[in-house]
Amino acid sequence: MGTGGFLAEPEPSDAVEAKYAADRADDGYVMNLTRVWAQAPAVDDAWTAFAGAAAEAAGLTFRQKGIVVTALAAAMGDAYCSLAWGTRLARASDAPTARAVLDGTDEGLDDDERTIAAWARQLVRDPNGTTAADVDALRRAGFDDRAILGLTAYIAARIAFSTVNDVLGAISDAELRAAAPPAVLDAVTYGRAATA
């Protein structure tokens, strides 16, 4: 059975059981990060609603979400989301492309995709270092101002999610590592060690 990192198992409730049941239905097990967020299901629900609304405002495809989250998680040194979304990106594209986004080379991405990966990394590394030229690059990549706000809010929400998981000791599940392609596993050499 997984753990909630540095936190105890959440007190049983209908809301907690609903979170666990959703994981079992989707993944076949309860993820460690769910045990963390199940401490306050309403906070988890609010984060999910915010991130979903931001992604919708940005008009992000599943592949674009994969690029954004994989790029920012790797830039943060977050092994959990790097493994989860690196694997999803590998399924949406291929393993070498996912590896390239994890490594920051972005081979296999088109110019517009490289632009959003760079934006995600910029928000992790130096949000005060952004310029009007960076925003203009997003416009050239096909994002209008509403979509740029949505993309930026989505990235910020994902940074917050990763931060909570990392700070509270959530470690990537053994099942998650078992599902990851070797190219993704080889690239994720940072963050907290996975469960056995």
Side-chain angles (χ1 to χ4, degrees), residues 62-63 65-67 70 81-102 109 179-185:
F62 184 80
R63 178 181 164 103
K65 287 180 188 176
I67 291 164
T70 301
C81 287
S82 291
L83 287 168
W85 279 92
T87 299
R88 290 173 183 157
L89 180 57
R91 290 181 187 143
S93 56
D94 54 55
T97 298
R99 171 72 188 246
V101 174
L102 288 164
L109 300 184
V184 169
L185 280 175

Side-chain angles (χ1 to χ4, degrees), residues 65-77 82 85-86 89 98 101-102 104 106 109 113 116-121 124-125 190:
K65 287 180 188 176
I67 291 164
V68 163
V69 181
T70 301
L72 73 87
M76 290 180 71
S82 291
W85 279 92
L89 180 57
V101 174
L102 288 164
D106 294 340
L109 300 184
E113 292 170 335
I116 63 171
W119 186 246
R121 293 183 189 107
V124 169
R125 295 177 178 148
Y190 45 78

